[in-house]
Amino acid sequence: KILPELNLNRKLTKTKDEVKIYEGVVGIKVILDDIIKQKEETNSFDEVVAFGIPRDIAFKLRAFVGKYHKRRIELKLYQRFIYDENAKRRIEYLNKLPYTEAVFLPNTVNSPTTTTIYGDRVAFWIWPEPILCILIQSKRMAEMYRKYFDILYSIAKNYEKSQEHIEIKQKLELLREITDDFGQGFVAINQKGEFILWNKAAEEILFEEATYV
């Protein structure tokens, strides 16, 4: 549960940190506008990172998310996202944008809170509606959450590679089943000259030749 606002402000005051709380969609727009404003006025950061993003949030916020990305890209401000596995179509779209990279984690790692880090600021968007947005200006907290994001991002990249390996293996097995019906030897070779696929007929021929070597 979130700490009461008075206690949170008291704690942040001791460390010269600042907190602002917004309710509703307007809070998200305020934070996106602040990202652009901070980049334009201070140019003190080159990347925005975000994780725990709901799959359909871009559609709900389409009135200003598109404008945000357009201006962000114009400023050459890089952004990395971590979505859950259900958002693959959104991830594919984002990965086509300049200065943008998106990955995913298993649905079991999904979070009800979106966390965005930029410069010395951390923003929390708590779902579902009514949306609660908390913006904290704290260099220490931003560094801490950025390190946490990097760990999650590394896990997501490795997870994607393992999923790609499984998908490639499944496709090769399907191709092998299809080529087995060719009635003649079939071999596929990659650019390195390595055998990556062969059917039963080719396997029998190769095996027979190998026994005479």
Side-chain angles (χ1 to χ4, degrees), residues 30-88:
V30 168
I31 292 171
L32 293 179
D33 288 345
D34 187 59
I35 293 173
I36 299 301
K37 178 182 178 182
Q38 293 301 317
K39 176 62 178 176
E40 290 176 332
E41 293 183 355
T42 70
N43 197 29
S44 59
F45 57 96
D46 298 315
E47 182 182 56
V48 180
V49 298
F51 61 93
I53 309 166
R55 177 183 59 180
D56 57 349
I57 192 60
F59 177 77
K60 292 180 179 179
L61 307 178
R62 60 190 181 280
F64 46 86
V65 166
K67 294 179 181 178
Y68 161 76
H69 282 303
K70 181 180 179 180
R71 183 56 183 148
R72 174 182 66 80
I73 292 169
E74 289 175 349
L75 293 171
K76 298 182 180 180
L77 178 58
Y78 204 89
Q79 182 153 1
R80 289 187 290 162
F81 299 87
I82 301 177
Y83 279 83
D84 66 43
E85 206 163 358
N86 292 330
K88 288 186 178 180

Side-chain angles (χ1 to χ4, degrees), residues 78-81 94-95 97 99-103 153 157:
Y78 204 89
Q79 182 153 1
R80 289 187 290 162
F81 299 87
L94 288 171
N95 281 328
L97 297 179
Y99 305 102
T100 311
E101 188 172 356
V103 295
Y153 196 81
K157 294 289 282 187

Side-chain angles (χ1 to χ4, degrees), residues 40-162:
E40 290 176 332
E41 293 183 355
T42 70
N43 197 29
S44 59
F45 57 96
D46 298 315
E47 182 182 56
V48 180
V49 298
F51 61 93
I53 309 166
R55 177 183 59 180
D56 57 349
I57 192 60
F59 177 77
K60 292 180 179 179
L61 307 178
R62 60 190 181 280
F64 46 86
V65 166
K67 294 179 181 178
Y68 161 76
H69 282 303
K70 181 180 179 180
R71 183 56 183 148
R72 174 182 66 80
I73 292 169
E74 289 175 349
L75 293 171
K76 298 182 180 180
L77 178 58
Y78 204 89
Q79 182 153 1
R80 289 187 290 162
F81 299 87
I82 301 177
Y83 279 83
D84 66 43
E85 206 163 358
N86 292 330
K88 288 186 178 180
R89 289 185 63 183
R90 178 63 181 170
I91 292 171
E92 289 176 1
Y93 169 77
L94 288 171
N95 281 328
K96 293 177 182 178
L97 297 179
Y99 305 102
T100 311
E101 188 172 356
V103 295
F104 64 87
L105 281 171
N107 297 332
T108 53
V109 190
N110 192 20
S111 168
T113 303
T114 296
T115 304
T116 302
I117 306 103
Y118 60 100
D120 61 351
R121 304 180 183 204
V122 182
F124 301 99
W125 303 341
I126 303 172
W127 320 98
E129 297 181 3
I131 301 169
L132 184 65
C133 303
I134 303 174
L135 178 61
I136 300 175
Q137 183 176 353
S138 167
K139 183 178 179 180
R140 178 178 57 86
M141 186 173 291
E143 291 175 350
M144 179 184 68
Y145 271 94
R146 193 171 289 108
K147 289 179 181 179
Y148 178 65
F149 173 88
D150 286 337
I151 293 172
L152 286 180
Y153 196 81
S154 176
I155 294 172
K157 294 289 282 187
N158 290 330
Y159 178 74
E160 281 191 345
K161 288 179 181 178
S162 67

